[in-house]
Amino acid sequence: ENGGLEDREKFFMETYELPKIVATHVLTDNPMVNLMEQATRDSLIIYSYREETSRIISAVEQILESFVCIGRDSSIPIEKPDDKHCIVGEESIVKKVLEPKRGELAGGTAEVLTHRLFDAIENNFPRMVFVHYKQVDRLQKVLAKYFCPSVEPLHKNIEEQKAMNVSIRLSKNGEVVPMKDWLDAKRDKIEWTFSFKGGDHAQAKVRTLEDELFLCQDELLQVTRETSF
């Protein structure tokens, strides 16, 4: 609630010379609003953006592949015909993953890109850009050129490196279908069914932001006084 004051103080005292680049993951609008209000004129704020439905689908995949099916969550029963295949019940996903918005499903667009945050952007006019998450490698190379030339982009959670094939057992008839097919069939109804949006979520502004960001060839949008959102 205090915008991470304790963490910021610890960071401030950790080293004599503070790093020029600071990266973090946010779950609510609090730290972002604080940043809009406190950033200096020379600060550049870069927000890596992913469209919400795509983010939710990816989060479900990550939870099932990297937690549930490797036994890191014993509360969700699984079937493992062999070491490379895992079957998860549809009802377990609904009750234990989607309904409680567990893990990476929490802290999405609805909690971060709020009317409160857009008001803070308008009232403080920070030096800020939104960049599509798929352009982060290019962005990192540009930053590295000036601040850390020996650093190369590092990828984790790469599709080609995943060894587990996940399937879903349907509640209605017990049929087993591949996870990706199940997510494709359900993707347009997940947010509605489990109320991922609402509250102070500035959906109209977010959609305007998306229109402008995706229209740009570089998928990078700078906040200006004329920015329409």
Side-chain angles (χ1 to χ4, degrees), residues 11 23 30 41 63 71 82 84 90-91 105 108 120 130 133 142 151 154-157 162 168-169 218 222 225:
F11 168 78
N30 284 340
R41 177 177 287 273
I63 291 167
D82 54 53
K84 293 186 177 182
E90 185 175 40
E91 186 172 356
L105 286 169
F130 288 86
Y133 80 102
V142 172
V151 175
L154 175 64
H155 292 190
K156 290 187 176 181
N157 190 28
K162 295 178 179 177
I168 312 301
R169 187 176 296 281
D218 292 332
Q222 181 177 0
R225 297 191 188 278

Side-chain angles (χ1 to χ4, degrees), residues 22-26 31-32 35:
V22 180
T24 188
H25 182 77
V26 293
M32 289 296 296
L35 189 58

Side-chain angles (χ1 to χ4, degrees), residues 66-190:
S66 300
F67 288 89
V68 175
C69 282
I70 63 172
R72 295 173 67 181
D73 185 346
S74 59
S75 70
I76 299 179
I78 60 175
E79 305 170 49
K80 293 194 73 174
D82 54 53
D83 291 340
K84 293 186 177 182
H85 294 83
C86 170
I87 302 172
V88 187
E90 185 175 40
E91 186 172 356
S92 292
I93 299 173
V94 167
K95 296 296 185 181
K96 298 291 184 70
V97 177
L98 289 167
E99 190 175 303
K101 300 179 180 63
R102 63 170 296 167
E104 293 189 10
L105 286 169
T109 300
E111 290 76 28
V112 179
L113 295 182
T114 61
H115 287 98
R116 178 170 171 251
L117 175 57
F118 281 105
D119 286 346
I121 293 173
E122 182 177 357
N123 292 336
N124 294 279
F125 189 47
R127 294 179 64 204
M128 182 177 186
V129 296
F130 288 86
V131 59
H132 192 281
Y133 80 102
K134 288 188 176 180
Q135 304 299 330
V136 168
D137 276 1
R138 294 175 60 195
L139 175 66
Q140 183 170 327
K141 288 178 180 178
V142 172
L143 295 174
K145 179 179 178 181
Y146 296 98
F147 299 108
C148 42
S150 62
V151 175
E152 291 292 328
L154 175 64
H155 292 190
K156 290 187 176 181
N157 190 28
I158 303 173
E159 182 69 27
E160 292 75 14
Q161 295 179 356
K162 295 178 179 177
M164 187 66 68
N165 293 310
V166 182
S167 298
I168 312 301
R169 187 176 296 281
L170 303 182
S171 295
K172 184 175 182 178
N173 56 18
E175 180 184 355
V176 175
V177 299
M179 175 183 64
K180 291 190 179 298
D181 291 351
W182 183 82
L183 286 169
D184 285 343
K186 304 290 185 179
R187 65 177 292 130
D188 292 330
K189 301 298 187 292
I190 292 177

